[in-house]
Amino acid sequence: MKKLFRRAAAAALCVYLLTTAVLARELVPVGKVIGLELLDKRVVVAGFDEEQGAAAKAAGILSGDIIQKIDNIPITCAEDVRMALQQSDGAVAVEICREGKTALLQMKPVITKDGPKLGVFLRQGITGIGTVTWYDPETGKFGTLGHGVNDSSGKLLPMTEGRAYEAKVTTVKKGKCGQPGQLYGTVNSPQPIGVLKSNTQQGVFGICENGWEGQAMEVASAAQVKTGDAVIRANISGDGVREYSVKILKIYPKARDNGRNLLLRVTDPELLAATGGIVQGMSGSPIIQDGKLVGAVTHVLVNDPTTGYGIFIENMLDAAA
């Protein structure tokens, strides 16, 4: 990668196919952080128990392996693993998928007072925080992130269900050259505030009945966006949302589907002092120019945290339709 506009970019994420094809032309630009839980039907090895993981390691299981079957019993959740092991008698055959290739591994589960165990930590889906870009009070639909959520292989997570949670920012890791910053947050309640319907390259979309308050704003087409001054709405402390000044430096073709339609630089002194610029967790922060919602922040340049990319709001809405 060479020069400013080609430096490596890190997704500003801390880690819906809607039935209605037409969205409102006026939407509420939100800027509020929420908790996101995206689930799929894949159970992934996240690590090994320090005391009980030796057998799994010896069998050849690695972190990142997807457990597909145990003794020919399909595995779609952690409970399936427990049930399959309880039915086993001695050694088990564990079918895993690694980098798209399937392998069958033999091992003896560890016998504990709670039953047989593989001795591994399991993960299903991905959780993290992101920023709500827009909300439609008429339909309850909303969009966040401005880019997709990828799995451990770097591919778009095939989400089967998901939930959104009310959250707040607790601390900020300030970004600096070569080290992207990050927002750290906590979920306020285990009760979901919305459901996620789809995970796309242009954002995550869902429905929230109660939604977020705010003045609805006209949506700009890609052709209406121009270089120059703009603002973003961001939540970098607690649950408060503020507007911060930015400058749109360059505009790329609408046909770009990777969340990099706008190049922008943070110019607001307060935001630069607090975060260093754009940090992970700010993905989805709405970009407003001339009183119109024009896009969302998506990425930060690794070697320059003051600068990052944004997606056209038009592209987000196309993906949500």
Side-chain angles (χ1 to χ4, degrees):
M1 296 294 183
K2 299 180 180 179
K3 297 187 179 180
L4 176 64
F5 305 129
R6 289 174 167 251
R7 291 174 186 162
L13 168 69
C14 207
V15 9
Y16 77 20
L17 186 58
L18 299 174
T19 56
T20 304
V22 179
L23 291 173
R25 295 305 298 173
E26 287 195 352
L27 301 169
V28 176
V30 181
K32 177 75 175 63
V33 163
I34 58 170
L36 299 171
E37 180 182 37
L38 288 76
L39 301 177
D40 58 10
K41 292 186 177 181
R42 300 182 298 181
V43 177
V44 181
V45 176
F48 298 87
D49 185 275
E50 189 172 332
E51 297 180 356
Q52 301 173 0
K57 289 181 180 179
I61 293 176
L62 301 177
S63 292
D65 286 349
I66 300 170
I67 299 179
Q68 299 188 138
K69 295 180 182 179
I70 296 179
D71 283 345
N72 214 35
I73 298 174
I75 302 299
T76 60
C77 64
E79 180 63 15
D80 289 343
V81 174
R82 188 183 71 82
M83 296 295 293
L85 293 179
Q86 285 186 337
Q87 298 177 40
S88 67
D89 182 15
V92 296
V94 181
E95 181 181 298
I96 60 98
C97 180
R98 182 185 303 157
E99 297 180 352
K101 297 181 179 179
T102 300
L104 194 62
L105 307 176
Q106 303 287 332
M107 67 168 287
K108 287 187 177 181
V110 179
I111 305 302
T112 74
K113 61 182 179 63
D114 298 318
K117 305 284 185 182
L118 290 180
V120 301
F121 300 113
L122 300 175
R123 181 185 75 244
Q124 184 174 12
I126 292 176
T127 59
I129 64 170
T131 301
V132 181
T133 306
W134 55 265
Y135 171 65
D136 183 352
E138 293 187 4
T139 64
K141 300 168 185 176
F142 72 92
T144 180
L145 297 183
H147 61 70
V149 176
N150 292 337
D151 60 20
S152 57
S153 70
K155 296 180 179 179
L156 194 69
L157 181 78
M159 186 187 76
T160 55
E161 61 178 306
R163 291 175 280 272
Y165 299 87
E166 184 177 309
K168 63 181 178 182
V169 177
T170 54
T171 57
V172 177
K173 175 188 174 185
K174 192 173 181 179
K176 55 185 179 181
C177 182
Q179 297 181 16
Q182 185 172 342
L183 299 180
Y184 293 93
T186 59
V187 169
N188 296 341
S189 168
Q191 186 66 32
I193 61 171
V195 294
L196 305 180
K197 293 296 186 178
S198 70
N199 176 33
T200 76
Q201 295 288 3
Q202 290 75 38
V204 174
F205 305 98
I207 298 176
C208 179
E209 291 186 2
N210 294 328
W212 298 268
E213 295 182 354
Q215 182 65 44
M217 184 177 293
E218 185 179 345
V219 171
S221 67
Q224 292 175 309
V225 186
K226 60 182 184 292
T227 57
D229 293 338
V231 297
I232 62 172
R233 286 187 180 173
N235 177 190
I236 64 170
S237 177
D239 58 6
V241 176
R242 284 193 50 192
E243 290 190 353
Y244 300 96
S245 60
V246 299
K247 187 178 289 290
I248 298 175
L249 303 176
K250 189 172 183 178
I251 298 175
Y252 299 96
K254 182 180 182 294
R256 274 195 173 193
D257 61 359
N258 59 0
R260 295 173 172 86
N261 300 121
L262 309 170
L263 184 73
L264 64 152
R265 175 177 292 133
V266 174
T267 57
D268 195 286
E270 291 190 30
L271 186 57
L272 290 171
T275 66
I278 299 169
V279 297
Q280 295 177 5
M282 286 172 62
S283 277
S285 295
I287 305 170
I288 299 167
Q289 186 179 61
D290 296 335
K292 295 181 180 181
L293 177 60
V294 303
V297 175
T298 57
H299 298 79
V300 57
L301 293 183
V302 173
N303 291 325
D304 182 5
T306 69
T307 307
Y309 292 103
I311 185 174
F312 287 136
I313 194 66
E314 189 174 3
N315 282 359
M316 282 190 76
L317 298 181
D318 286 346

